[in-house]
């Protein structure tokens, strides 16, 4: 029972490099989310997908893009990484937000 | 900007005592409320959900909701050292909105 799987777990990027964070869930959930977590700032929503084929911006979307590849997979892309994007990134999924989220284990990203 | 406020702590409670964690929210239209536990370096884990005014009990945990006061709390009875973690309050704001807004969390330490 994998739940929500995120890859990679750790990544160091140089400023200006690009990368894609991968997320997959095996719970047949409709909604998927990307959050970042910074000290003192809590969890902030970057993008979400309420259903397959739809994506919407959250609170802090600048510098990111997303793709809902299918019902299972929701990827987050940093086109040109900046030190301000150093953070812990969490993917989450939900059958519907009235039931709460299930989180992946997170990706710790450092941009130098 | 809808807000969810928590005292960041740290909150220190002796082992065996009751830990009381509080959360206020700004949107009167909020419908669903959640408490997550997050151990250091780990992802958030859903421990309680509450939707109606009053108390909801699950083992040693009790969630309390007062929509008139826009207040939700979590009580942990017979606190154990394993309860030491950061507790995040999350709120779903209104119908049709598939997003949760998280507070910044309260760090709880149980003192043996």
């Amino acid at each position: 029972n994998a739940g929500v799987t995120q890859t990679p777990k750790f990544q160091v990027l140089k400023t200006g490099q690009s990368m894609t964070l991968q997320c997959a869930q095996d719970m047949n959930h409709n909604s998927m989310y990307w959050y970042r977590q910074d000290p003192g700032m809590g969890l902030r929503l970057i993008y979400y997908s309420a259903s397959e084929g739809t994506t919407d911006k959250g609170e802090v979307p600048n510098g990111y893009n997303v793709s809902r590849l299918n019902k299972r997979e929701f990827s987050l892309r940093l086109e040109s990484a900046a030190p301000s994007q150093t953070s812990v990134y969490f993917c989450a999924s939900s059958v519907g937000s009235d039931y709460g989220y299930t989180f992946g284990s997170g990706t710790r990203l450092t941009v130098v | 900007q809808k807000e969810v406020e928590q005292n960041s702590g740290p909150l220190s409670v002796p082992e065996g005592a009751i830990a009381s964690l509080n959360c206020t929210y700004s949107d009167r239209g909020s419908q669903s409320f959640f408490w997550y536990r997050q151990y250091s370096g780990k992802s958030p884990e859903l421990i309680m959900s509450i939707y109606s005014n009053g108390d909801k009990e699950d083992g040693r945990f009790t969630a309390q909701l007062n929509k008139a006061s826009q207040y939700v709390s979590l009580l942990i009875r017979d606190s154990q050292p394993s309860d030491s973690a950061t507790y995040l309050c999350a709120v779903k704001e209104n119908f049709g909105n598939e997003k949760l807004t998280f507070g910044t969390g309260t760090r709880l330490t149980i003192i043996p």
Side-chain angles (χ1 to χ4, degrees):
Chain A
N1 187 8
V4 180
T5 303
Q6 286 184 241
T7 56
K9 293 190 183 303
F10 301 93
Q11 185 72 47
V12 178
L13 288 179
K14 294 182 179 179
T15 298
Q17 287 185 318
S18 62
M19 79 162 296
T20 300
L21 281 65
Q22 306 287 353
C23 176
Q25 53 92 6
D26 63 1
M27 297 174 286
N28 201 34
H29 285 172
N30 296 319
S31 304
M32 297 185 74
Y33 310 83
W34 278 104
Y35 282 85
R36 60 179 288 174
Q37 188 173 39
D38 303 290
M41 302 292 291
L43 284 162
R44 293 183 292 168
L45 182 64
I46 305 171
Y47 272 94
Y48 70 105
S49 172
S51 61
E52 186 179 357
T54 68
T55 60
D56 286 284
K57 294 179 181 179
E59 181 184 356
V60 288
N62 291 343
Y64 306 95
N65 286 300
V66 292
S67 295
R68 182 77 182 264
L69 304 171
N70 47 56
K71 191 170 186 179
R72 290 187 63 248
E73 299 173 285
F74 188 40
S75 62
L76 178 71
R77 183 161 177 84
L78 288 69
E79 291 291 351
S80 179
S84 61
Q85 294 177 306
T86 294
S87 188
V88 179
Y89 291 85
F90 288 104
C91 177
S93 72
S94 176
V95 65
S97 58
D98 282 317
Y99 303 94
Y101 296 168
T102 299
F103 283 87
S105 58
T107 296
R108 187 172 296 274
L109 175 67
T110 302
V111 183
V112 297
Chain B
Q1 177 69 27
K2 307 290 186 353
E3 292 185 350
V4 177
E5 301 281 350
Q6 293 182 257
N7 187 324
S8 62
L11 175 65
S12 297
V13 173
E15 183 175 356
I18 295 174
S20 178
L21 304 161
N22 304 316
C23 173
T24 59
Y25 59 94
S26 63
D27 183 11
R28 284 194 172 275
S30 297
Q31 298 295 323
S32 307
F33 307 85
F34 306 90
W35 283 99
Y36 285 81
R37 177 177 62 200
Q38 186 175 23
Y39 293 115
S40 181
K42 301 296 186 182
S43 59
E45 171 193 12
L46 180 64
I47 55 172
M48 290 289 287
S49 58
I50 187 166
Y51 306 100
S52 304
N53 280 329
D55 295 359
K56 178 182 178 182
E57 187 175 319
D58 184 0
R60 296 187 295 112
F61 298 98
T62 299
Q64 299 175 315
L65 175 61
N66 184 326
K67 289 186 178 181
S69 299
Q70 295 174 238
Y71 178 94
V72 58
S73 64
L74 179 71
L75 302 179
I76 306 174
R77 291 183 301 280
D78 188 23
S79 296
Q80 302 297 310
S82 60
D83 295 325
S84 296
T86 296
Y87 289 81
L88 305 173
C89 174
V91 175
K92 180 191 170 183
E93 292 165 358
N94 51 46
F95 291 116
N97 183 340
E98 286 301 315
K99 299 179 290 183
L100 298 185
T101 299
F102 287 81
T104 55
T106 298
R107 186 155 58 93
L108 174 66
T109 300
I110 306 302
I111 304 169

